[in-house]
Amino acid sequence: MAAEPDNVTGRRSPPTERVVQVLDHLVARPDGRFGLSELARDLGISKPTCLGILGALVGGGYLTRDADARYGLGPALIAAGRAAQRGYAAGSVVRPHLDALAAEFGAVCTASAVVGDQVMILEVAIPPGAEAGRAAARVGQVYPFAPPVGLMYVLWSHDDEFARWLDREPAFPVVLDHDLLRRVVDDCRESGYLVERLTPTGRRLFSLMAGVADRNLPAELRELVGEMVSSLGERVHLGREREADVEYPVSLIAAPVYDADGRQSMVLTLDVGGSITGVDIERRGLALVGVADAVTAEFGGRAPSRVVR
């Protein structure tokens, strides 16, 4: 984690280097707990400066401070490590598959995963000839992982994980129709993919939520956005209700990637953003599932026993 000179000016940032010093020191001693005086002495940093750095890192969750005023590594580093690990894997394994899918359907394709308490975009593939700047998703973009955001990240999970997600404090008020949700879960597990409806407010909603932690939303805004959102589950097209030659407004199609324990590790999406027939929905859905299965295999994962291909 050593700091490097700026590529343009060659200048260094001593305050930033001191932050890196603190993190490097604790990462090298992951099981240790250290007091302020000890850290300041070991690192050659004044106590006031060290205290300011420690306070900022504790506030961000990168360090923890116990009752004895001793510091250690915090949970935010776990999320950062998982994001980096998944990001490298996504780049080397997922990207070629997404590029081929994007080219085949002329659509933006993404890979994303739950990292800590947020959903993070890990990879984005833009179809040839398209403008990269027009893609709604960007690598590193995050969304709150709480109802109604994040349904596709638990649809194919074990039922206990789905229940834990439903029990989370909602990002904003949402109607829970449990009978409809059960039908959505059964439908998506049977087909292997989810089809999200295209609604006038749906895309605006995700644009507004990008990079926003749910707990940072003022109560008034949460209520206002809640009024824009339909009942959780109503944004999904159910396969058993689709007809082959009828057009349906579709936002995107999503399919899961599984890990070695048969749990969801990522979600791949194929953007549609318009109306297509039931036949075209199935063609895209099956192609996306094929890519997700290929990625699962390359990761050494497996679909859970309830999923039959």
Side-chain angles (χ1 to χ4, degrees):
M1 297 176 65
E4 294 182 358
D6 184 277
N7 289 335
V8 178
T9 65
R11 296 175 60 185
R12 305 179 74 91
S13 171
T16 304
E17 290 176 351
R18 285 193 286 270
V19 174
V20 173
Q21 264 187 286
V22 171
L23 287 174
D24 276 344
H25 188 79
L26 292 174
V27 167
R29 301 161 181 81
D31 298 323
R33 308 289 297 183
F34 305 91
L36 171 62
S37 298
E38 183 181 5
L39 284 169
R41 182 182 63 251
D42 291 346
L43 297 172
I45 301 174
S46 71
K47 288 177 66 174
T49 297
C50 192
L51 180 61
I53 293 171
L54 293 172
L57 291 173
V58 169
Y62 295 97
L63 300 182
T64 59
R65 182 181 185 273
D66 60 26
D68 296 326
R70 300 182 69 80
Y71 298 86
L73 300 179
L77 287 174
I78 298 174
R82 286 175 178 168
Q85 184 181 40
R86 282 174 170 164
Y88 281 121
S92 61
V93 175
V94 180
R95 186 56 187 261
H97 292 284
L98 292 184
D99 283 339
L101 195 66
E104 179 180 358
F105 293 102
V108 175
C109 297
T110 72
S112 54
V114 176
V115 180
D117 287 332
Q118 296 176 312
V119 172
M120 179 176 290
I121 305 296
L122 302 177
E123 195 66 66
V124 178
I126 310 296
E131 298 178 26
R134 294 180 60 186
R138 299 189 306 277
V139 173
Q141 214 166 36
V142 294
Y143 300 89
F145 179 56
V149 182
L151 174 63
M152 68 180 69
Y153 298 90
V154 292
L155 266 178
W156 297 276
S157 295
H158 293 262
D159 287 341
D160 57 344
E161 294 180 22
F162 185 82
R164 283 197 294 273
W165 175 75
L166 283 177
D167 287 340
R168 284 174 170 263
E169 180 183 355
F172 36 78
V174 62
V175 178
L176 293 178
D177 183 334
H178 290 276
D179 289 338
L180 176 58
L181 277 176
R182 188 69 253 175
R183 294 200 301 274
V184 169
V185 170
D186 292 342
D187 186 272
C188 292
R189 288 179 178 178
E190 180 181 345
S191 66
Y193 58 90
L194 169 148
V195 181
E196 186 173 284
R197 295 177 187 269
L198 179 65
T199 64
T201 58
R203 297 211 164 192
R204 287 185 59 202
L205 169 65
F206 277 88
S207 296
L208 289 171
M209 295 303 293
V212 177
D214 55 317
R215 293 178 179 83
N216 291 338
L217 284 175
E220 296 84 358
L221 180 57
R222 293 175 79 242
E223 293 178 5
L224 178 62
V225 176
E227 294 174 1
M228 298 167 55
V229 184
S230 60
S231 170
L232 183 57
E234 289 182 1
R235 300 196 311 276
V236 178
H237 281 295
L238 298 180
R240 66 197 68 177
E241 298 176 356
R242 288 196 302 266
E243 297 182 26
D245 57 351
V246 175
E247 289 196 345
Y248 301 89
V250 175
S251 175
L252 58 82
I253 302 174
V257 171
Y258 299 101
D259 63 16
D261 296 321
R263 296 178 180 272
Q264 279 186 249
S265 61
M266 285 192 297
V267 168
L268 307 186
T269 67
L270 186 153
D271 187 76
V272 178
S275 293
I276 57 176
T277 65
V279 168
D280 288 330
I281 289 174
E282 183 175 16
R283 186 165 69 92
R284 285 165 171 77
L286 293 178
L288 183 62
V289 168
V291 168
D293 285 349
V295 173
T296 294
E298 289 190 47
F299 279 143
R302 63 175 180 82
S305 57
R306 66 171 182 272
V307 176
V308 180
R309 295 286 187 247

